[in-house]
């Protein structure tokens, strides 16, 4: 039978026999322990999050906030542009008509009675912030969505998104 080879680059490998020092393993164990010990005295690469927090970049995009105006009324008019701009389809809302007695609560005649962001879908791209014509939604640069074991905890409603009222 004729054997055809594609190239002549074939290399036959042989296992090198272990030396005496390699066979007793002790130098390798000591070397490993020395590496471990040397790491004890180095500056730690990790921090005790969430008790400790690293300073964030000014352009970091974290958890959303629905802003109020100077009088404390919600800016969002439920126009839906943020939901339209969202590539992850993470935003849902329900629009409602403002009643005359609610003038102080909502800036415009229409407002979002329900506004939800699914943080498991969100990729924190900031397009919702850019699309908003009312400067109502922003991504905070110093707050992250906290971790949780429950999926429901990542559906953020108005109770967690709307800016708290300033009392003074
Ligand atoms: S940050 Fe991006 S992905 Fe997240 S809700 Fe806004 S538009 Fe959608
Ligand atoms: S947050 Fe802005 S873009 Fe989104 S519905 Fe409200 S007003 Fe419209």
């Amino acid at each position: 039978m004729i054997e055809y080879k594609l190239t002549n680059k074939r290399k036959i490998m042989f296992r090198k026999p272990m030396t005496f020092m390699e066979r007793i393993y002790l130098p390798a164990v000591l070397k490993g322990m020395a590496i471990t010990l040397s790491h004890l005295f180095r500056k730690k690469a990790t921090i005790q999050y969430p008790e400790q927090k690293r300073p964030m970049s000014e352009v970091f995009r974290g958890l959303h906030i629905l802003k109020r105006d100077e009088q404390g009324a919600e800016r969002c008019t439920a126009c839906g542009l943020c939901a339209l701009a969202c590539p992850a389809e993470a935003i849902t809302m329900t629009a409602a008509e403002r009643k005359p007695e609610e003038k102080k609560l909502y800036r415009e005649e229409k407002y979002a009675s329900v506004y939800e962001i699914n943080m498991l879908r969100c990729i924190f791209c900031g397009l919702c912030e850019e699309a908003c014509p009312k400067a109502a939604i922003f991504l905070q640069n110093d707050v992250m969505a906290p971790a949780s074991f429950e999926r429901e905890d990542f559906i953020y409603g108005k109770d967690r998104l709307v800016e708290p009222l300033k009392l003074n």
Side-chain angles (χ1 to χ4, degrees), residues 85-104:
C86 178
E89 298 184 358
I91 303 176
T92 49
M93 74 191 71
T94 306
E97 291 281 333
R98 183 183 72 184
K99 295 189 184 82
E101 64 272 20
E102 293 175 333
K103 260 192 170 179
K104 279 190 176 163

Side-chain angles (χ1 to χ4, degrees), residues 2-166:
I2 306 165
E3 191 186 333
Y4 294 99
K5 289 179 199 155
L6 286 177
T7 67
N8 285 325
K9 289 183 183 167
R10 194 168 58 160
K11 193 175 176 186
I12 298 168
M13 306 294 288
F14 293 101
R15 187 187 287 267
K16 214 171 65 176
M18 284 170 109
T19 63
F20 172 73
M21 292 299 267
E22 282 169 340
R23 269 187 281 135
I24 60 171
Y25 292 110
L26 203 58
V29 171
L30 291 174
K31 198 173 153 193
M33 287 172 80
I35 291 171
T36 307
L37 270 175
S38 73
H39 278 275
L40 286 180
F41 304 105
R42 283 192 201 162
K43 191 172 171 261
K44 280 185 195 145
T46 52
I47 56 162
Q48 296 293 320
Y49 184 83
E51 290 81 19
Q52 278 181 304
K53 283 181 185 152
R54 285 206 166 96
M56 305 277 199
S57 154
E58 272 183 32
V59 291
F60 176 78
R61 292 191 292 258
L63 198 63
H64 310 63
I65 186 167
L66 286 173
K67 298 291 278 182
R68 295 177 183 275
D69 66 8
E70 299 73 29
Q71 280 74 46
E74 289 178 23
R75 284 175 166 271
C76 178
T77 59
C79 67
L81 284 177
C82 51
L84 205 64
C86 178
E89 298 184 358
I91 303 176
T92 49
M93 74 191 71
T94 306
E97 291 281 333
R98 183 183 72 184
K99 295 189 184 82
E101 64 272 20
E102 293 175 333
K103 260 192 170 179
K104 279 190 176 163
L105 297 177
Y106 312 109
R107 203 165 73 145
E108 318 250 346
E109 291 82 13
K110 210 170 91 177
Y111 70 97
S113 57
V114 178
Y115 190 105
E116 284 181 350
I117 303 181
N118 183 340
M119 294 300 169
L120 290 176
R121 279 175 161 251
C122 177
I123 53 170
F124 301 93
C125 61
L127 288 180
C128 48
E129 180 182 313
E130 280 183 41
C132 182
K134 301 289 176 183
I137 188 164
F138 287 93
L139 275 74
Q140 302 167 91
N141 71 352
D142 56 353
V143 188
M144 279 194 271
S148 173
F149 290 108
E150 306 299 327
R151 295 182 78 85
E152 302 81 55
D153 292 346
F154 292 96
I155 311 294
Y156 278 62
K158 283 184 72 178
D159 54 329
R160 289 194 285 173
L161 291 171
V162 176
E163 182 181 19
L165 262 175
K166 289 183 191 100

